[in-house]
């Protein structure tokens, strides 16, 4: 079972955090990654996971949805996505999770389709990747050097980067 955690624990793991996307733009170095396809974005996240082994996290707001919203959300999941959801502790109202490759993949799929948005946090090469805005993902880093790493990975995956 992948347990949920509070924001404070996420930050203790070394993750950057911002209360909203505007605050993130004001606080961190940033770029917007444009993905022409889900496959390219998935490839990008695979590369990011490789440089943040065991240091990837995501928020997932299912635990704080109203019961009718939860039922609607569940009705849109396939069996593989449901299996991943069952691995995640959703009984508390905490929304942050350590994300292995399988969890990351499912949360990215759900975010890309606009089903439920997640924000992704990386603690080794510190970054926040904010959920999908029409296949555009703002990337926030603590410094220009780290941002250059994420921009380089994006370009290797065929993604466009906009300052």
């Amino acid at each position: 079972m992948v347990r949920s955690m509070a924001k404070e624990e996420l930050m203790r793991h070394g993750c950057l955090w911002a209360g909203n996307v505007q605050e993130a733009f004001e606080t961190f170095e940033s770029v917007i990654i444009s993905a022409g396809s889900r496959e390219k974005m998935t490839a990008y996240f695979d590369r990011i996971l490789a440089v943040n082994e065991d240091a990837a996290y995501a928020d997932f707001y299912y635990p704080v949805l109203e019961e009718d919203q939860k039922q609607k959300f569940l009705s849109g999941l396939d069996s593989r996505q449901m299996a991943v959801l069952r691995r995640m502790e959703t009984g508390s109202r905490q929304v942050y999770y350590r994300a292995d490759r399988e969890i990351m993949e499912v949360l990215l799929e759900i975010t890309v389709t606009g089903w439920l948005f997640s924000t992704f946090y990386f603690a080794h090469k510190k970054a926040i990747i904010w959920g999908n805005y029409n296949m555009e993902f703002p990337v926030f880093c603590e410094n220009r050097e780290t941002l250059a790493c994420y921009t380089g990975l994006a370009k290797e995956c065929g993604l466009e980067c906009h300052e």
Side-chain angles (χ1 to χ4, degrees):
M1 178 68 64
V2 178
R3 69 176 186 77
S4 61
M5 64 182 83
K7 173 186 78 170
E8 294 75 18
E9 184 175 351
L10 176 79
M11 293 172 72
R12 277 196 304 274
H13 284 288
C15 294
L16 303 176
W17 190 86
N20 58 56
V21 74
Q22 187 59 42
E23 180 183 327
F25 275 116
E26 293 168 1
T27 306
F28 302 112
E29 300 292 334
S30 64
V31 67
I32 296 177
I33 304 294
S34 296
S37 71
R38 182 188 312 182
E39 294 76 22
K40 286 182 180 180
M41 201 63 194
T42 300
Y44 180 52
F45 269 71
D46 284 345
R47 299 292 304 274
I48 292 170
L49 285 171
V51 299
N52 284 283
E53 194 171 327
D54 295 326
Y57 302 84
D59 60 25
F60 177 55
Y61 284 89
Y62 175 82
V64 296
L65 296 176
E66 298 296 327
E67 201 53 45
D68 60 324
Q69 294 171 314
K70 285 182 179 181
Q71 292 309 312
K72 183 178 179 192
F73 177 77
L74 293 175
S75 72
L77 300 181
D78 63 28
S79 59
R80 182 183 55 80
Q81 293 166 331
M82 281 294 291
V84 170
L85 179 62
R86 281 193 290 275
R87 289 183 43 221
M88 300 170 73
E89 173 199 358
T90 58
S92 75
R93 295 189 59 81
Q94 299 181 129
V95 298
Y96 299 98
Y97 296 84
R98 182 179 296 268
D100 60 20
R101 186 169 308 280
E102 192 175 42
I103 289 171
M104 188 70 69
E105 185 176 301
V106 167
L107 293 182
L108 180 61
E109 287 170 6
I110 291 166
T111 298
V112 165
T113 60
W115 195 238
L116 187 64
F117 295 103
S118 288
T119 301
F120 304 92
Y121 305 85
F122 303 96
H124 179 63
K125 293 264 187 204
K126 295 183 186 308
I128 301 171
I129 300 180
W130 218 276
N132 173 31
Y133 295 90
N134 297 319
M135 290 300 283
E136 292 188 342
F137 294 77
V139 177
F140 303 100
C141 298
E142 62 184 344
N143 56 50
R144 301 286 306 161
E145 179 184 331
T146 305
L147 186 64
C149 172
Y150 282 92
T151 302
L153 292 174
K155 289 176 181 175
E156 289 172 15
C157 295
L159 303 175
E160 294 180 25
C161 303
H162 311 281
E163 294 279 330

